[in-house]
Amino acid sequence: MLFIVNVEAAIYKGDKWLFIKRSELEEHAAGELSLVGGKVDKEGTKENILEATIRREVWEEVGVELQSTLHYVHSTSFIADDGTHVVDIVFLAEYKSGEAHAKSVEEVGAVYWLPAEDILNDEKAPDYFKDSIKRAVELKVSLSNVVIES
Amino acid sequence: MLFIVNVEAAIYKGDKWLFIKRSELEEHAAGELSLVGGKVDKEGTKENILEATIRREVWEEVGVELQSTLHYVHSTSFIADDGTHVVDIVFLAEYKSGEAHAKSVEEVGAVYWLPAEDILNDEKAPDYFKDSIKRAVELKVSLSNVVIES
C-alpha cells in the first residue's frame, strides 16, 4: 500500500489564479495546463510535510512565495501511466511575493495568471483539473465570508 | 519516493474526545493511547480518498459514524520502525452516531471518551500525540467562533 504523495497549489492573487503549462519534457501530462505542485520527498520526521512540499515546489518551479496560511481543498487517488498509485492533495494558497515565471524549465513551459472561469469554460480542460479549481474557488469565497468572533 | 499514507481522526462529542488504546497485537505502538485511524488502501481513482479512508477506518475500528464535514488539521512525515516512510494526516471530525467500542479487536484494545486536557496533562503521552490533539482543539475552537456572512 505504497503511494506517491503529490501536492498541488491553487494560488490566487485578487481574482486571478496561477496556472502553468507543463513542460514538454514532463513524463506525465506533458504540455497540459495544471496547477503548480510536485511530489513529497523522503525527509524523515517533518512537521507540516505537505505544506512544506508545496512551498518548496512553488518556489522551485515558478519563483513565487505564498502567504503563511494554506487551506486544504481536497484529496484524490489515481493510478499514473506507469502503474504507480498516487494520492494527490490540493491546497488553496494566496500569492505573497515574487514574479511568476518558468523557473524550472524541465517542469514548466509557461506561466499564466487567469480568471478561474477561463479554465472552467474551457471544453478541453480535463474534469479533474476543473474540479480542483471549482473547489478552490468555492473555498476562497467561503473564507472571504468568514468573520471570527472574539 | 513511496509512502504509506496514514490518516487519523480527532473525534469530538461535546467536550469529550474519542481515544483508543491500541491493541497489544499491533506492530506499531502496541498498547498505547492514540487517535482512531489507519492506512489508505489502493482503490484506483477515488474522490476524497483521505476522508473516505477515515470514515472506513473509524467504522471498522470503533463502530462510529462521523458528521459530513471533516476538517484538515495537519500533516507530518516520519519513518516507521520497519524503515517505511509514512505521511500522516490528521482530520478533525464531529461524532454523529454509534456506540464507540473496540469493534476490531486486532487493532483496538479499548475506547475512551476523555477531555483533551487528560492527554495534554499526561506526562507519559508522546509529544506527537499531544501536538495533534492541541491543534485539533484549537481548530475546533476557531470553527466555533466562525460566522458565515451571507
Side-chain angles (χ1 to χ4, degrees), chain B residues 22-76:
Chain B
R22 294 168 66 86
S23 164
E24 299 292 348
L25 305 170
E26 283 276 28
E27 286 178 29
H28 176 69
E32 290 189 9
L33 276 186
S34 80
L35 298 172
V36 188
K39 297 170 188 170
V40 174
D41 284 339
K42 291 184 172 170
E43 303 189 51
T45 298
K46 194 167 172 83
E47 291 278 326
N48 301 319
I49 181 71
L50 300 179
E51 293 87 341
T53 301
I54 285 181
R55 291 181 196 283
R56 183 191 69 223
E57 290 289 331
V58 169
W59 178 249
E60 288 178 358
E61 292 191 3
V62 297
V64 157
E65 288 188 289
L66 306 173
Q67 298 288 357
S68 60
T69 304
L70 305 182
H71 296 276
Y72 172 88
V73 178
H74 76 145
S75 61
T76 49

Side-chain angles (χ1 to χ4, degrees), chain B residues 56-115:
Chain B
R56 183 191 69 223
E57 290 289 331
V58 169
W59 178 249
E60 288 178 358
E61 292 191 3
V62 297
V64 157
E65 288 188 289
L66 306 173
Q67 298 288 357
S68 60
T69 304
L70 305 182
H71 296 276
Y72 172 88
V73 178
H74 76 145
S75 61
T76 49
S77 63
F78 64 89
I79 304 174
D81 295 342
D82 67 358
T84 314
H85 287 250
V86 180
V87 170
D88 184 77
I89 305 170
V90 178
F91 284 79
L92 174 68
E94 187 173 6
Y95 168 89
K96 181 180 174 189
S97 63
E99 186 77 21
H101 63 289
K103 184 175 172 186
S104 166
V105 291
E106 292 83 13
E107 296 165 300
V108 182
V111 303
Y112 309 96
W113 286 107
L114 296 173

